Amino acid sequence: MGTTRHSDPSFLTVLLQDAVGGLQVLVEDDGGSAEWIEVPAVPGALVVNIGDYLQLLSNDRFKSVEHRVVANGAGPRVSVACFFRTYGAAASMRVLQPIVTGGDRARYKSATVEELLRHYRAKGLDGTSALDHFRL
Ligand SMILES: O=C(O)CCC(=O)C(=O)O
Ligand SMILES: [Fe+2]
């Protein structure tokens, strides 16, 4: 089992993976090149990923991490992902607005959690960022 590359529709994601491992994150260096880095399976350790909502809210100060799971042929794999975002109809109507500091400009238009999630689902895990759609 694996997943294609994506970043999560959440503020934070807390992840527990079993000993099979296979989780990789995309790490970019200052020169603009990027490399997939294996996240080692450490017994009992939790992985905390920054999600797209925190990137939008922080106006790019915190970047959501692109990740994928490469575990095909490794046998059964179990992982537990806990997505921190708002749930329920009323909460999902809350507007996320970039917090702009220090003379910066808003880099995203404001959007509700519902709008962000709808776009994320409609787009699918096609390797592009759902945030591009909301970028100013
Ligand atoms: O299974 C994993 O380790 C990661 C799963 C994941 O990226 C997700 O559910 O968004
Ligand atoms: Fe994910």
Side-chain angles (χ1 to χ4, degrees), residues 3 6-9 13 15 23 49 65 67-68 81 83 120:
T3 65
H6 66 282
S7 51
D8 291 340
T13 304
L15 203 66
L23 177 65
N49 284 341
V65 67
H67 54 285
R68 67 182 183 184
F83 300 98
Y120 182 89

Side-chain angles (χ1 to χ4, degrees), residues 12-136:
L12 293 173
T13 304
V14 179
L15 203 66
L16 179 69
Q17 60 170 343
D18 68 9
V20 173
L23 177 65
Q24 299 180 343
V25 293
L26 193 62
V27 177
E28 288 174 39
D29 63 24
D30 292 342
S33 55
E35 195 184 349
W36 287 104
I37 304 288
E38 194 90 21
V39 179
V42 178
L46 297 172
V47 177
V48 181
N49 284 341
I50 291 175
D52 283 350
Y53 300 172
L54 187 51
Q55 178 166 341
L56 184 148
L57 208 63
S58 74
N59 208 33
D60 281 345
R61 185 161 194 183
F62 297 105
K63 297 275 175 60
S64 60
V65 67
E66 263 200 82
H67 54 285
R68 67 182 183 184
V69 177
V70 182
N72 293 334
R77 174 180 184 274
V78 178
S79 69
V80 181
C82 182
F83 300 98
F84 286 82
R85 61 175 176 85
T86 57
Y87 287 89
S92 294
M93 295 317 287
R94 296 225 176 96
V95 174
L96 300 188
Q97 183 176 3
I99 297 168
V100 180
T101 55
D104 201 359
R105 56 173 181 83
R107 297 172 186 212
Y108 298 96
K109 40 185 171 181
S110 302
T112 64
V113 170
E114 166 72 23
E115 286 168 329
L116 288 159
L117 204 54
R118 201 174 330 117
H119 178 69
Y120 182 89
R121 288 183 177 141
K123 182 186 74 59
L125 298 187
D126 63 354
T128 67
S129 168
L131 283 180
D132 290 345
H133 186 71
F134 298 90
R135 197 176 279 281
L136 290 170

